[in-house]
Amino acid sequence: MTNSHGRWEGGVAATALLASLGLVSGNGTLLLAAAIPLVYVAYGGASSVSPPTDLRAVRRIDSSPTAPGRPVTVELELTNEGERPIADLRVVDGVPDSLAVVEGTPRGGYTLDPDDSTSVAYTVIPHRGEYDFSAPTVRVRGAVGSATTTTAVEAEGDVTLRCALDAGAPPLTDQGTGLVGTLTADTPGRGIEFHSTREYRHGDSASRIDWRQYAKRGTLTTVNYARQLATTVVLVLDARESTRVVAGPGHPTGAELSAYAATRALTNLLRGGHDVAVAVLGLDGAGPAGLSWLPPGTGSEQRRLAIDVFRAAVDAAPVAVGHEKQVQKVVELAPAGAQLALFTPALDDGPVTAVESWSAFDHPLVVCSPDVVAANTVGGQLDQVRRRARLARCQAMGARTIDWRRGTPLQVVLEQAFAASARAGDGAGTLATNGGGH
Amino acid sequence: MAIGGPRLDRPSGVGEEGRPRSTSQTIAAVVAVAVCVAVLGVLGAMQALSFVGLAIALFVPGMALLTRESIGEQVVGNLLYHAGAVLVVVALYLVGRGPLGVVVSGLFVALFGVAATWSNVLERDRLEEATRSAATSYVSILGWVVAIVAASALAVAGWNVVQTVLRASEPTTSLFGVLAVIVVTGLLVRGATWALPVGALAPRDRRESLVQMSTWAGQVGSVVAALAFFAIVVAGALGQTRIEAFATNTPAVGSSLTVLTSPPVVVPLAVLAAVCGVGTAFGYGARKLAGQLDAGDYDVIASVLAGFVFAVFLVGTVILPLAAISPFLPVLVGFALVIPVVAIVFGLLGVAAIDGGVVPPRAAGPALGACGLLLSGVGTALVGQPAPLTFACVAGAMVVWDCSTFGLGLTVELGHRPDTRRLELYHGVLSVGLGVAVVLVATGLSHLRAVTGGVASAWPAVGLAVLGAVLLAVAARRREG
């Protein structure tokens, strides 16, 4: 579409004014000066422009699929493959409406010589879903800027950005590690990691004798290995109304980030051979007391079912259900000795109430809290203080609390949450041992 | 980042129209200033540039600051606006007279247009907001001038009373004088303790004691004033003869009156009365102002504060010294107080012009800049200045309009974030180059005309040819559209 913009009506008026004054006053200078605006008017009127058929656009999205809340850089490269320069090129990339640009801009204005390239780079923060980029809109103007043509240029390269809860958490392989679990207990037993040595007793396996010690000192000692345990972990997702807030425009909600953390934890635990159950607070599910409940299980099928539960929880609208009833139902359904891991942004006292209820029972507790509070305002700072006070109260009640702050890799957070908790307290009392060996 | 010049507007996100992109605006500003310097240099009137520049440098930032939110910025904006408005009108009066008046006035309008474009003060809503704030502060200035002059007159009158008391030789005059001073002082102390928020201003650990002390002082002031007033009534009933006889026959009474009317007693009382009077006035005024305004009426508060500052300056440095020279000179100052009204009226006219479509709503600044240079070009031609000056002014007007509107278009389409410096420089160089070429050609033709001499009769034909070309161009563009 080619348009001609009337920027020079004033020039016509100026010409008329100068010519009239020159005629009336008999001033030749004014008559000559009247030609000057006319030159600009004529140059603008003679300006022409053709559609940019030799313009090539390539879009690159630096990571797709990506996790919710992770910044993604999009770069649109434009190359003039023609033989004529493009004097005035303006471009706007087709960013989907639901994606918020948090850094940079998808717009640009350039002058491109033949074979010259330029690029537009910007950063977006997606939440769960698929985002299709439309073709960039390009406007070319003539040298004097009066005539323009606007068209869409199909971009090669990436056109879709996918954001999923299980991004960065590859599916389980069919063959596991062969171990029952990878959580270690304080008491020694059969395993592969060295724990301690003791005096040889009749009946100990020859493969466990420390022959090097025998060669040095002539005494027989038996090696103890760190006992590998399998546990049952109940991942509890807080999907109540209070968690459906965002840290900024276009950012994922607290419920979505919690679901993402729970998905990563689910994958890690299932890969380690543990049994994992899933519960969702704040929805009207099919389980008892409206709880969305997936019984303990293991394997790829369990992972698929659990991720479906998390997705449904993120997409569903929260319901005003009895929070205390659902919390109580979680501990009733959880197997004895199972670890309860609550994923919540802790924006109200609901998680504190839950931890308080659960701490009365013999379950190791973990609270993993993604930080969705914008602390760049006075109100945000107050909310942040309140949130940390809630986490401190949970910790005081015996829960292992992990504050997942922005910028901290989630893997580090999950390792902290689940690796150390098995070492806390008496391993025999708090962990379910499935026995077995490697 | 702008190539040069401050930013007084607040562009935000993508697509806000605001001011043109900074590179284009810089090119337009450089061309406008260069033409101004060239014209004034040839005319030998460079001193006008500094005067006009100062006036614009005060007035335009004042307009820009009037649209800000904080009280401090608005107070400064009001002060700059009114000081700048006075300078602008005076500058136009001084430099706009005489045969070169059209030229210099045109340059002034051009510089104003460029400055206004840079700070985006001619955007319709901002112009209205600035004009409204200026009108409010102008009313405040007038009010404060009257109040300060009245307070000064009151102070002078009070001081005359104190002097009379101090110089009084008759016992009656001394008695009534000192009692009057005591009554006024007592009442003003009572007023000050009522009006001033002592409790709110005092440190928390001393609040209770200070409030008690303030209450006690107020009560003492009331009692003392009442007693002194009673004494005046009694003395009035006794009459002058009895009082003088009593004072003469009782040496103790006479010496007491002498002590009471001595400077160590009267002067501190007078000073206390003056301080309490000022405190009462300010406390009462502040309380009324705070009680009647909502939290968001910062512009009214800023107008009142700026009006006070301006009025103090005006009264202290202009009106009172002039009054000491001649009582008629302050009247002239009164006329000077009318000058800001001119600027306010022009502001209102500007809003009406934008609403009526006379001035392009987004390009009011560039339009003013171009029209100013055009006016200067006409002026230079009419007063017989060298033709290249006229051509430079007209070409400069075209370049200012072209670059400014190109930058405005960039702002509308791309916002302020993308870096479009290369694009703007490319367009600016083209535009300036075209202007220079046209000026050279026109200068050549003008020289040719001067050489060929008496073909003046051909110029009407040339003029008609130009007008015909204009009509053809208009018709051709309409057909395209």
Side-chain angles (χ1 to χ4, degrees):
Chain A
M1 180 176 62
T2 301
N3 292 322
S4 183
H5 295 268
R7 287 200 301 132
W8 292 108
E9 278 89 5
V12 174
T15 297
L17 174 69
L18 289 169
S20 304
L21 284 174
L23 279 174
V24 166
S25 60
N27 192 311
T29 303
L30 283 177
L31 283 174
L32 262 179
I36 296 175
L38 206 58
V39 169
Y40 277 89
V41 171
Y43 195 44
S47 167
S48 66
V49 66
S50 54
T53 53
D54 295 322
L55 188 66
R56 181 166 164 255
V58 178
R59 186 189 294 113
R60 291 184 204 91
I61 302 174
D62 71 347
S63 61
S64 177
T66 186
R70 180 174 295 173
V72 175
T73 301
V74 181
E75 185 181 353
L76 179 72
E77 186 181 11
L78 298 159
T79 305
N80 180 11
E81 295 182 333
E83 293 176 351
R84 300 179 64 183
I86 302 176
D88 186 336
L89 172 70
R90 304 176 192 192
V91 61
V92 179
D93 198 5
V95 182
D97 290 339
S98 51
L99 266 186
V101 177
V102 295
E103 198 177 324
T105 174
R107 300 169 183 245
Y110 310 99
T111 300
L112 281 185
D113 293 324
D115 295 326
D116 196 9
S117 293
T118 187
S119 64
V120 173
Y122 53 96
T123 304
V124 297
I125 289 191
H127 43 93
R128 197 178 70 81
E130 270 197 22
Y131 304 91
D132 295 320
F133 286 73
S134 51
T137 303
V138 162
R139 177 169 290 167
V140 177
R141 287 175 175 264
V144 190
S146 290
T148 66
T149 182
T150 306
T151 184
V153 175
E154 287 302 321
E156 302 167 17
D158 303 325
V159 293
T160 302
L161 169 62
R162 192 171 152 267
C163 176
L165 294 178
D166 57 345
L172 303 179
T173 58
D174 290 335
Q175 295 178 345
T177 60
L179 299 173
V180 174
T182 56
L183 288 181
T184 57
D186 285 334
T187 55
R190 300 175 67 183
I192 58 173
E193 185 183 339
F194 175 83
H195 183 274
S196 58
T197 58
R198 61 169 173 79
E199 189 180 352
Y200 173 79
R201 294 184 205 132
H202 178 72
D204 286 340
S205 168
S207 61
R208 287 174 62 190
I209 293 175
D210 190 353
W211 293 109
R212 190 171 294 176
Q213 178 78 0
Y214 178 70
K216 274 186 189 174
R217 305 221 170 98
T219 54
L220 284 173
T221 52
T222 300
V223 176
N224 279 329
Y225 295 97
R227 190 157 53 106
Q228 300 289 314
L229 298 174
T231 62
T232 300
V233 181
V234 179
L235 303 179
V236 184
L237 174 64
D238 185 358
R240 295 171 300 128
E241 177 71 34
S242 62
T243 65
R244 310 291 175 139
V245 293
V246 297
H251 286 234
T253 63
E256 193 170 342
L257 283 178
S258 301
Y260 170 60
T263 305
R264 289 292 296 268
L266 166 79
T267 306
N268 292 348
L269 290 168
L270 288 176
R271 188 177 293 126
H274 303 286
D275 286 348
V276 178
V278 168
V280 178
L281 303 175
L283 300 181
D284 191 10
L291 190 69
S292 295
W293 170 254
L294 179 67
T298 188
S300 302
E301 183 61 18
Q302 181 72 359
R303 180 177 182 273
R304 185 188 66 78
L305 290 171
I307 290 177
D308 287 343
V309 170
F310 289 145
R311 282 189 190 135
V314 170
D315 292 338
V319 179
V321 294
H323 174 62
E324 290 80 13
K325 273 178 127 177
Q326 289 191 338
V327 164
Q328 189 64 29
K329 197 50 72 172
V330 167
V331 80
E332 288 174 12
L333 294 171
Q339 189 176 71
L340 300 180
L342 176 63
F343 294 85
T344 173
L347 297 174
D348 62 358
D349 287 339
V352 179
T353 309
V355 169
E356 193 176 12
S357 298
W358 296 339
S359 61
F361 299 88
D362 198 16
H363 293 285
L365 300 174
V366 172
V367 175
C368 179
S369 177
D371 183 6
V372 294
V373 175
N376 55 350
T377 62
V378 174
Q381 291 169 9
L382 177 61
D383 286 338
Q384 189 65 268
V385 168
R386 286 178 175 160
R387 175 176 165 271
R388 288 188 185 147
R390 292 185 193 108
L391 294 180
R393 284 162 64 189
C394 291
Q395 190 159 8
M397 287 186 276
R400 174 81 177 167
T401 56
I402 308 296
D403 185 0
W404 177 26
R405 299 189 187 180
R406 285 189 283 271
T408 305
L410 179 59
Q411 191 59 30
V412 171
V413 170
L414 294 176
E415 282 174 7
Q416 272 190 330
F418 292 101
S421 62
R423 296 192 177 90
D426 182 7
T430 56
L431 299 172
T433 56
N434 286 351
H438 58 286
Chain B
M1 188 69 185
I3 287 180
R7 303 189 68 158
L8 288 178
D9 68 327
R10 287 222 172 119
S12 62
V14 171
E16 187 201 75
E17 297 190 358
R19 67 166 196 181
R21 297 304 302 272
S22 55
T23 304
S24 296
Q25 188 52 32
T26 302
I27 295 171
V30 167
V31 166
V33 171
V35 169
C36 285
V37 169
V39 169
L40 290 175
V42 169
L43 296 179
M46 283 300 291
Q47 67 275 11
L49 184 63
S50 54
F51 195 29
V52 165
L54 175 65
I56 293 173
L58 290 178
F59 187 61
V60 173
M63 287 181 72
L65 289 174
L66 282 177
T67 61
R68 294 292 176 89
E69 288 88 23
S70 78
I71 291 181
E73 288 170 328
Q74 289 190 14
V75 169
V76 174
N78 277 301
L79 292 174
L80 290 178
Y81 180 96
H82 291 294
V86 172
L87 275 179
V88 162
V89 175
V90 171
L92 275 176
Y93 174 74
L94 289 177
V95 303
R97 296 178 300 170
L100 299 178
V102 174
V103 178
V104 181
S105 300
L107 295 177
F108 176 85
V109 171
L111 290 178
F112 174 76
V114 167
T117 306
W118 198 267
S119 54
N120 197 28
V121 294
L122 293 182
E123 192 269 330
R124 193 248 178 236
D125 290 338
R126 289 183 183 165
L127 181 61
E128 185 189 11
E129 187 180 350
T131 305
R132 192 177 58 245
S133 294
T136 308
S137 62
Y138 178 69
V139 171
S140 168
I141 290 173
L142 292 180
W144 277 114
V145 166
V146 170
I148 291 174
V149 168
S152 303
L154 207 63
V156 168
W159 183 247
N160 288 336
V161 168
V162 168
Q163 291 290 319
T164 304
V165 171
L166 289 174
R167 292 198 208 104
S169 55
E170 294 176 0
T172 313
T173 310
S174 304
L175 179 65
F176 279 104
V178 74
L179 286 175
V181 169
I182 291 171
V183 167
V184 170
T185 304
L187 287 176
L188 288 176
V189 166
R190 182 68 184 92
T193 55
W194 167 78
L196 291 174
V198 174
L201 296 175
R204 191 181 293 272
D205 55 342
R206 298 177 57 197
R207 185 167 295 170
E208 201 176 326
S209 62
L210 284 174
V211 167
Q212 276 181 354
M213 201 180 302
S214 167
T215 308
W216 174 81
Q219 289 168 347
V220 165
S222 302
V223 169
V224 167
L227 287 175
F229 184 75
F230 180 72
I232 290 176
V233 171
V234 169
L238 284 175
Q240 180 179 355
T241 311
R242 284 189 189 171
I243 293 172
E244 288 184 2
F246 187 59
T248 306
N249 296 333
T250 313
V253 171
S255 2
S256 300
L257 276 178
T258 306
V259 169
L260 282 176
T261 55
S262 62
V265 173
V266 175
V267 171
L269 281 176
V271 170
L272 178 64
V275 169
C276 290
V278 170
T280 304
F282 268 109
Y284 179 74
R287 189 177 295 187
K288 286 296 264 185
L289 193 66
Q292 290 177 3
L293 294 175
D294 293 330
D297 287 337
Y298 290 152
D299 53 344
V300 177
I301 298 173
S303 299
V304 170
L305 289 174
F308 173 71
V309 172
F310 201 86
V312 167
F313 170 79
L314 205 58
V315 171
T317 62
V318 178
I319 293 180
L320 287 181
L322 286 180
I325 299 171
S326 165
F328 295 104
L329 289 176
V331 176
L332 293 177
V333 174
F335 281 110
L337 284 175
V338 175
I339 290 176
V341 177
V342 176
I344 293 168
V345 167
F346 268 101
L348 293 173
L349 286 175
V351 172
I354 293 173
D355 283 342
V358 174
V359 176
R362 288 178 302 158
L368 268 183
C371 287
L373 287 176
L374 208 63
L375 188 63
S376 294
V378 170
T380 54
L382 290 177
V383 297
Q385 292 298 319
L389 266 187
T390 303
F391 303 145
C393 287
V394 176
M398 294 301 108
V399 171
V400 166
W401 173 257
D402 186 24
C403 290
S404 297
T405 52
F406 180 79
L408 268 177
L410 272 179
T411 303
V412 169
E413 292 182 10
L414 304 178
H416 288 277
R417 284 191 185 170
D419 182 11
T420 55
R421 187 173 300 180
R422 188 179 170 198
L423 181 61
E424 294 174 74
L425 280 174
Y426 181 87
H427 180 269
V429 166
L430 267 183
S431 188
V432 172
L434 182 62
V436 169
V438 167
V439 168
L440 290 174
V441 169
T443 303
L445 287 175
S446 178
H447 181 69
L448 188 65
R449 166 200 164 219
V451 166
T452 54
V455 285
S457 60
W459 289 111
V462 172
L464 286 172
V466 168
L467 273 176
V470 167
L471 288 171
L472 272 175
V474 169
R477 292 179 71 79
R478 282 190 181 161
R479 188 187 304 175
E480 270 185 29

